[in-house]
Amino acid sequence: MSNLKLGVEVVGAHDLLSKDAQGSSSPFVELHFDGQRFRTTTKVNDPNPVWNESFYFNISDPNNLSNLNLEAFVYNHNKATNSKPCLGKVRLTGTSFVPYSDAIVLHYPLEKRTIFSRAKGELSLKVFVTDDPSIRASNPLPAVETSMQVDSQSKHSEKREKRRTFRHLPTISGSKQQQQQQFSSAQVQKTVNYGVQGMKSIPQHSRNFPMFPGLSSQPLDYALKETSPFLGGGQVVGGRVIRGDRPTSTYDLVEEMQYLFVRVVKARDLPSKGVTGSLDPYVEVKVGNYKGITKHYGKTQDPEWNEVFAFARDTVQSSVLEVVVKDKNLLKDDFSGILRFDLNEIPTRVPPDSPLAPEWHRLEDKKGEKKHGELMLAVWYGTQADEAFPDAWHSDAIAPGDTSFASAHIRSKVYHSPRLWYVRVSVIEAQDLITGDKSKFPDAYVKVQIGSQLLKTKVVQTRTLNPVWNEELMFVAAEPFEEHLILSVEDRSGSNKDEAIGRVVIPLNTVERRADDKIVHSRWYHLDKSLSAAMDGESAKKDKFSSRIHVRVCLDGGYHVLDESTHYSSDLRPTARQLWKPPVGILELGILNADGLHPMKTRDGKGTSDTYCVAKYGQKWIRTRTIINSLSPKYNEQYTWEVYDPATVLTVGVFDDSQIDGSSGNKEMNIGKVRIRISTLEAGRVYTHSYPLLVLNRSGVKKMGELHLAIRFSYTSWTNTMFQYSRPLLPKMHYIRPLPVLQQDMLRHQAVNIVAARLSRAEPPLRKEVVEYMSDANSHLWSMRRSKANFFRLMSVFSGVFTLAKWFGEVSMWKNPITTGLVHVLFVMLVCFPELILPTVFLYMFAIGVWNYRFRARYPPHMDTRISHADMVHPDELDEEFDTFPTSRSSDIVRMRYDRLRSLAGRIQTVVGDMATQGERVLALLSWRDPRATTIFLALCLLAAAVLYVTPFQVLALLGGFYTMRHPRFRHRTPPAAINFFRRLPARTDSML
């Protein structure tokens, strides 16, 4: 028998709805959990009642705790009618239950019980799980009192009696209790997780509902965890922000962090050092074990630095700030002066206050006496909302006592992807081609190149010097256009020998741009003998010869250039800015922290990680600062994007910085990523969840830690957002002149390479492997695991049809005579009144949608290891998925994989062949492939036409329906004649080799 109990302490309520003429109410609370109900006492005429009553529920199945819900209903007792109208409710999922040691009182906003009801106020509850054997279950639900005359003394005596009853009440007996499992305290700690502010909860299982048989559950450790952190705007509970006493910060989606800012501006009249009297000054700012160093200047006594240092206040272990000016020397740096500040007297700046003005301070020697030279600086306390925060040197981004990491590439930064264009090149023809061999006609083709992109036309073998191609080639280019379009006419003179006939170079910034499908005029270009001549315009004019080429080139701005996986696109706007629509909303992201990260490297004999986060949405990329030597880094950075289409996806990835140790050749290691589709977010709600960072490698799926985010989507206009659902997903050019799928994949690969090359040149750089991981550049590669996952997804989609067919089969076989009778009645009604068919169908779908509202997803969707088939995949399939292209495995392994692929393809081939056979049999009905079968079918058609002319359609429909649903005693075990006739029809399988 399980001793596990759910404890609920009903503390009080605040600002409840008034339900009487005096503007007050007489509330009490009903608690529902696991088939048990308890009720508090009634507080007469008290809109702000205080109960402080505790109740304990038995948990029938501790293993199913995460699927159970606690519901608290606040009712008003109406003495006149003895009714109890609902004032609101609170619904808590089993994933939010924590042990008693971590439980705190939370104020939950009351929700409406139904769509048409009203709710107002808050209910204060303390909910926890305990296995204390001395605690017994509470009394069953008492009846509502008929008398409201309960004085204070009787209330206290009732509470004492209730507590005494709790201690002596025997446990529930019966068969249900015998089925309960033992659930120790250690198991409670393992099942119930908690995190930020003690409010992080365990994830909720995905429920397998009959209407959605494809939904599957995954391990608890791999699912989302809802949290209730204290952010800059207040505490977040159930997606709602409960404002605190302090004013709301600009950064209201992150936890407020205090920093000590030191801005070192410049110095003057510094004392000279050494024999030469020169000075190479720099400034060292030191607080406790942390110190930051400015760059040093050579041979100047009036340097200007204008650098900012930020020290995390919670890590400062000192009460004194020291600012030391030193002279850079080869052997040992000389001391030039020092300033000391008492940290207790540092002022605090809160934006939007103006920045603190820097002041001149006279330097002191080590004894505290004034000396020659002054230093201008400003010192203040602030938060990450300070303007100086993004460009500051951060103490939490370096190891204590180490200054070697104080470089620009560990700071937070915002990037913008270059604007991408499709370049459409139509190679039409050439004239008067001159080759080295005058005795033969050229086998000509055109090689077109933009940067590393290279495409060729077909080889034209004609007995003429004027070949015609009429081929269209597509490329990707990025603004500003640094690469030129180069066309080279080649002669295939041998099997492995090509001779260049001439070249032409077209600068892309001179190419015509279009935003629609308008006609672009073609041009003739003279061919130059060499590439250098084609690049040099002046010499090209002097050295022209008769060969020329006819091409049409344009920059297509009416398309959206896909630079990420089509399933996870974050931007769907066309390239041409004049086609952009106004934004429909704002997306705000707070990157709070990461927890439980796996060490990615070893430093000083210990495993550690140097992590940063990258978020991508639209053309805007952001990178947080790098947190050094931490497996639980706190970022607390907030960013904002404009949303132009809700059918887009935000991607957030976590990476380990491999450049910290100075080894630029190492690749950045990906720790995991999170995808959030904007359309799944409710407007105005703050989603504070801890997302598991799941990575699939050769050894299987692995959890690398958790990423804690705060997300809010707000639309600027509800009408525009709803209207967006009626608009095409892609720009109009994708439908007017669609691009083939293979061409789109090739262009997407080129676009990702261009974006990666541009962002890797920024400072700090976003390396190529980071851009490819965030853009899912390799999602198109073959994977046995992904193929099986997609097959079962397809089966899940059609599972509803299969379930309906199975149900109708049971109705036809009279498994349940009552159900079959009702179906007969409904069928007769629909046949007799066919105008009711469509209204009935739509009303049924409406009812299903309303019914499924209670099962709607509470959390944003996330990676599911069961749906991805990542938790049961064979190791060899993973090795094949992560193999290089082309393969690097031995011939025996490749042969085995090839045979496995042949076996799978053979089964697919059989299914496709069977589908083709059925279709060919339908065509054979009228094709006289089988003259006797066609004769029989035509005779039946003639007979059916005659019968249908004289017989009402309703009669035939009724007869057909009753025949289909006839009783099993009137059925035969052999197939009916119609099926036998169809299976005898010929197909083209006879013609297959």
Side-chain angles (χ1 to χ4, degrees):
M1 183 181 65
S2 172
N3 292 321
L4 196 65
K5 301 287 187 300
L6 178 69
V8 181
E9 182 178 342
V10 183
V11 179
H14 173 68
D15 195 23
L16 297 178
L17 277 175
S18 59
K19 287 292 184 178
D20 55 17
Q22 289 77 27
S24 183
S25 58
S26 301
F28 65 91
V29 180
E30 273 192 15
L31 303 174
H32 298 187
F33 177 77
D34 199 10
Q36 306 162 63
R37 296 194 303 165
F38 301 122
R39 191 184 66 76
T40 66
T41 55
T42 303
K43 300 296 181 179
V44 182
N45 296 332
D46 190 354
N48 299 290
V50 177
W51 285 284
N52 287 324
E53 299 182 22
S54 299
F55 303 91
Y56 294 91
F57 296 86
N58 276 316
I59 300 178
S60 59
D61 185 2
N63 290 329
N64 193 40
L65 178 60
S66 60
N67 289 329
L68 300 177
N69 298 320
L70 170 67
E71 293 183 318
F73 297 91
V74 181
Y75 292 104
N76 171 63
H77 182 258
N78 191 328
K79 184 179 179 181
T81 60
N82 204 25
S83 61
K84 52 173 189 178
C86 185
L87 304 178
K89 72 171 185 176
V90 172
R91 186 174 184 269
L92 305 180
T93 60
T95 58
S96 63
F97 302 153
V98 297
Y100 180 78
S101 58
D102 300 292
I104 60 175
V105 178
L106 286 180
H107 309 286
Y108 298 95
L110 290 176
E111 300 177 355
K112 298 179 181 180
R113 185 174 184 180
T114 62
I115 299 178
F116 304 103
S117 60
R118 296 176 58 199
K120 177 186 173 185
E122 298 173 346
L123 179 64
S124 303
L125 299 175
K126 182 178 181 181
V127 184
F128 53 89
V129 177
T130 179
D131 61 348
D132 189 349
S134 63
I135 296 178
R136 303 297 181 184
S138 302
N139 282 327
L141 177 67
V144 180
E145 304 100 304
T146 57
S147 175
M148 307 294 285
Q149 305 298 327
V150 183
D151 57 10
S152 176
Q153 183 177 1
S154 63
K155 291 180 182 178
H156 289 299
S157 62
E158 181 183 358
K159 293 178 183 177
R160 289 194 298 269
E161 182 64 24
K162 186 176 295 184
R163 297 192 186 99
R164 193 179 304 116
T165 305
F166 291 165
R167 290 194 292 269
H168 298 91
L169 187 66
T171 57
I172 300 175
S173 60
S175 60
K176 183 177 180 180
Q177 189 185 30
Q178 294 173 1
Q179 298 171 358
Q180 295 175 352
Q181 302 176 6
Q182 295 293 333
F183 203 73
S184 62
S185 176
Q187 288 172 313
V188 174
Q189 293 291 339
K190 182 178 180 181
T191 304
V192 183
N193 288 324
Y194 49 93
V196 181
Q197 303 292 343
M199 291 306 302
K200 189 180 292 184
S201 63
I202 64 175
Q204 184 179 15
H205 277 301
S206 299
R207 298 182 176 88
N208 289 324
F209 298 115
M211 289 301 299
F212 305 100
L215 294 179
S216 61
S217 60
Q218 60 177 343
L220 290 176
D221 202 34
Y222 290 170
L224 265 65
K225 301 176 182 178
E226 188 174 13
T227 64
S228 298
F230 290 88
L231 304 181
Q235 187 184 10
V236 180
V237 178
R240 300 182 181 180
V241 179
I242 301 177
R243 306 292 180 186
D245 297 334
R246 58 184 180 181
T248 303
S249 169
T250 306
Y251 286 66
D252 60 341
L253 291 185
V254 292
E255 296 179 10
E256 188 176 273
M257 299 180 66
Q258 295 289 328
Y259 285 90
L260 171 65
F261 290 95
V262 181
R263 180 185 295 275
V264 181
V265 183
K266 58 184 176 179
R268 65 185 178 189
D269 301 332
L270 295 178
S272 59
K273 296 287 183 181
V275 179
T276 60
S278 63
L279 183 70
D280 301 333
Y282 70 91
V283 176
E284 180 182 276
V285 182
K286 184 177 180 181
V287 180
N289 294 330
Y290 296 94
K291 64 179 179 180
I293 299 177
T294 67
K295 57 188 175 185
H296 75 277
Y297 289 96
K299 299 180 181 180
T300 178
Q301 293 178 289
D302 302 306
E304 292 189 13
W305 294 283
N306 199 24
E307 297 185 26
V308 181
F309 301 86
F311 299 88
R313 191 170 186 176
D314 56 353
T315 60
V316 172
Q317 303 294 328
S318 175
S319 60
V320 177
L321 164 67
E322 295 182 351
V323 183
V324 185
V325 180
K326 292 187 177 182
D327 177 25
K328 188 75 173 179
N329 286 322
L330 293 177
L331 299 178
K332 184 179 179 181
D333 297 342
D334 294 331
F335 173 85
S336 296
I338 188 174
L339 295 175
R340 294 183 177 89
F341 296 88
D342 187 353
L343 296 184
N344 296 322
E345 298 181 0
I346 301 297
T348 300
R349 174 180 176 260
V350 179
D353 292 351
S354 300
L356 198 65
E359 299 179 3
W360 287 104
H361 298 269
R362 183 169 295 279
L363 296 175
E364 301 176 352
D365 57 16
K366 295 182 179 179
K367 297 180 181 179
E369 299 179 358
K370 302 291 183 181
K371 59 181 303 184
H372 193 57
E374 291 180 301
L375 182 65
M376 177 182 282
L377 52 80
V379 184
W380 73 94
Y381 283 118
T383 66
Q384 65 266 47
D386 201 290
E387 296 89 351
F389 180 82
D391 297 324
W393 172 97
H394 293 275
S395 63
D396 58 358
I398 65 166
D402 196 345
T403 62
S404 60
F405 301 148
S407 59
H409 81 275
I410 63 175
R411 294 177 179 172
S412 57
K413 194 65 68 176
V414 176
Y415 310 82
H416 287 275
S417 299
R419 190 151 65 123
L420 301 177
W421 292 79
Y422 280 145
V423 183
R424 189 184 297 271
V425 182
S426 299
V427 183
I428 303 173
E429 58 181 334
Q431 283 184 354
D432 302 329
L433 297 182
I434 301 176
T435 62
D437 189 358
K438 308 292 185 181
S439 62
K440 76 177 191 69
F441 292 100
D443 296 338
Y445 68 92
V446 180
K447 183 171 63 177
V448 186
Q449 184 174 1
I450 299 180
S452 61
Q453 306 173 65
L454 177 63
L455 294 177
K456 300 177 181 179
T457 65
K458 63 180 181 293
V459 178
V460 176
Q461 297 176 339
T462 58
R463 302 186 62 83
T464 178
L465 297 177
N466 304 319
V468 177
W469 292 281
N470 281 323
E471 287 192 40
E472 214 171 55
L473 306 175
M474 294 283 289
F475 299 87
V476 179
E479 291 184 345
F481 300 114
E482 300 175 350
E483 305 288 348
H484 296 309
L485 173 64
I486 303 175
L487 292 89
S488 176
V489 182
E490 308 276 335
D491 175 24
R492 181 67 52 84
S493 57
S495 58
N496 294 318
K497 183 179 179 182
D498 294 336
E499 178 188 355
I501 299 177
R503 296 180 177 86
V504 62
V505 176
I506 305 175
L508 289 177
N509 52 13
T510 64
V511 173
E512 183 178 353
R513 307 183 184 191
R514 68 176 185 180
D516 50 17
D517 197 31
K518 71 177 183 179
I519 300 298
V520 176
H521 298 291
S522 58
R523 288 186 57 187
W524 286 94
Y525 293 90
H526 288 279
L527 294 176
D528 295 288
K529 293 181 179 180
S530 63
L531 183 61
S532 59
M535 297 291 291
D536 189 356
E538 294 298 326
S539 63
K541 293 179 181 178
K542 301 176 183 178
D543 192 19
K544 294 289 184 184
F545 64 105
S546 59
S547 299
R548 60 178 187 167
I549 187 172
H550 189 198
V551 296
R552 181 184 295 110
V553 186
C554 70
L555 293 171
D556 265 335
Y559 291 93
H560 168 69
V561 181
L562 294 169
D563 61 339
E564 53 197 339
S565 176
T566 53
H567 301 294
Y568 315 120
S569 293
S570 61
D571 188 14
L572 301 171
R573 290 174 295 170
T575 302
R577 293 185 182 272
Q578 60 265 33
L579 300 180
W580 289 7
K581 303 295 183 182
V584 298
I586 298 295
L587 175 65
E588 299 168 275
L589 170 67
I591 304 177
L592 301 178
N593 57 63
D595 189 33
L597 298 180
H598 277 231
M600 306 298 291
K601 62 185 69 168
T602 303
R603 183 180 293 134
D604 299 331
K606 297 189 303 181
T608 186
S609 292
D610 309 318
T611 59
Y612 63 91
C613 296
V614 175
K616 179 191 186 309
Y617 185 76
Q619 294 182 338
K620 180 179 175 181
W621 298 63
I622 64 96
R623 167 183 170 149
T624 67
R625 66 191 187 281
T626 302
I627 306 297
I628 310 297
N629 281 345
S630 177
L631 298 179
S632 298
K634 293 184 178 181
Y635 305 100
N636 284 308
E637 298 184 21
Q638 184 170 337
Y639 299 93
T640 304
W641 287 268
E642 290 183 334
V643 177
Y644 290 88
D645 196 319
T648 47
V649 177
L650 166 71
T651 304
V652 185
V654 183
F655 300 88
D656 179 71
D657 197 334
S658 62
Q659 316 305 311
I660 293 297
D661 298 324
S663 52
S664 59
N666 295 338
K667 288 188 174 183
E668 307 282 75
M669 300 295 294
N670 54 288
I671 299 178
K673 63 184 171 185
V674 174
R675 298 192 200 99
I676 299 154
R677 187 169 293 274
I678 309 304
S679 59
T680 63
L681 303 179
E682 297 179 14
R685 178 177 178 179
V686 179
Y687 291 85
T688 53
H689 291 86
S690 185
Y691 295 82
L693 298 172
L694 304 179
V695 171
L696 188 66
N697 50 36
R698 297 181 187 272
S699 60
V701 65
K702 185 177 181 181
K703 181 180 178 182
M704 305 297 291
E706 296 180 355
L707 180 63
H708 195 195
L709 303 176
I711 304 167
R712 177 171 57 207
F713 168 65
S714 307
Y715 47 69
T716 55
S717 171
W718 181 86
T719 305
N720 292 340
T721 305
M722 300 303 290
F723 178 71
Q724 197 70 23
Y725 282 86
S726 66
R727 298 180 57 83
L729 191 64
L730 293 171
K732 187 169 59 175
M733 280 292 291
H734 285 270
Y735 307 101
I736 297 176
R737 299 191 65 176
L739 302 176
V741 176
L742 292 179
Q743 189 178 40
Q744 280 190 0
D745 290 339
M746 181 198 69
L747 294 173
R748 184 169 71 88
H749 176 71
Q750 299 296 343
V752 172
N753 289 338
I754 292 175
V755 173
R758 288 290 179 90
L759 296 184
S760 63
R761 287 156 45 185
E763 185 62 36
L766 273 184
R767 294 169 64 90
K768 181 178 180 181
E769 57 270 20
V770 174
V771 176
E772 290 181 345
Y773 181 69
M774 295 289 291
S775 303
D776 286 284
N778 299 322
S779 61
H780 63 285
L781 297 180
W782 160 259
S783 167
M784 179 73 76
R785 172 194 61 83
R786 195 179 291 115
S787 300
K788 291 194 297 186
N790 289 335
F791 172 76
F792 284 106
R793 285 173 56 203
L794 190 63
M795 295 297 294
S796 175
V797 170
F798 290 103
S799 61
V801 179
F802 299 150
T803 303
L804 183 61
K806 181 181 178 181
W807 171 81
F808 184 74
E810 293 178 352
V811 168
S812 300
M813 298 302 294
W814 292 72
K815 293 283 181 136
N816 189 336
I818 298 177
T819 303
T820 303
L822 293 176
V823 171
H824 277 76
V825 173
L826 179 62
F827 175 71
V828 171
M829 182 182 68
L830 294 179
V831 170
C832 295
F833 303 97
E835 64 274 9
L836 297 179
I837 294 178
L838 288 179
T840 302
V841 170
F842 286 109
L843 183 61
Y844 180 66
M845 289 192 292
F846 171 79
I848 291 177
V850 173
W851 173 260
N852 289 334
Y853 179 78
R854 56 184 300 193
F855 305 130
R856 69 190 186 279
R858 305 285 180 174
Y859 303 157
H862 187 50
M863 281 86 166
D864 193 310
T865 56
R866 290 283 171 83
I867 295 178
S868 306
H869 276 246
D871 56 346
M872 58 185 98
V873 63
H874 193 276
D876 182 70
E877 295 179 5
L878 285 175
D879 185 73
E880 180 184 20
E881 183 172 347
F882 288 95
D883 193 8
T884 57
F885 190 86
T887 181
S888 59
R889 293 294 176 262
S890 64
S891 58
D892 293 337
I893 295 179
V894 174
R895 185 181 298 110
M896 182 272 294
R897 292 174 179 172
Y898 175 64
D899 291 339
R900 179 178 61 192
L901 186 59
R902 288 175 63 192
S903 175
L904 175 63
R907 291 195 293 269
I908 297 175
Q909 168 187 293
T910 302
V911 173
V912 173
D914 290 341
M915 295 172 61
T917 297
Q918 307 307 322
E920 290 170 353
R921 284 173 175 168
V922 174
L923 297 177
L925 288 171
L926 298 173
S927 64
W928 294 91
R929 292 282 309 278
D930 185 342
R932 285 167 294 276
T934 303
T935 302
I936 295 173
F937 180 70
L938 293 180
L940 291 175
C941 289
L942 182 61
L943 178 62
V947 172
L948 289 174
Y949 271 118
V950 299
T951 308
F953 175 77
Q954 286 88 343
V955 175
L956 293 176
L958 288 174
L959 292 177
F962 288 151
Y963 177 78
T964 303
M965 296 183 290
R966 66 192 183 277
H967 198 274
R969 70 176 62 181
F970 302 112
R971 296 178 183 270
H972 301 285
R973 294 184 180 273
T974 57
I979 294 179
N980 295 334
F981 174 78
F982 183 77
R983 288 176 178 173
R984 291 179 180 275
L985 292 172
R988 294 186 178 181
T989 52
D990 307 333
S991 304
M992 295 284 294
L993 290 175

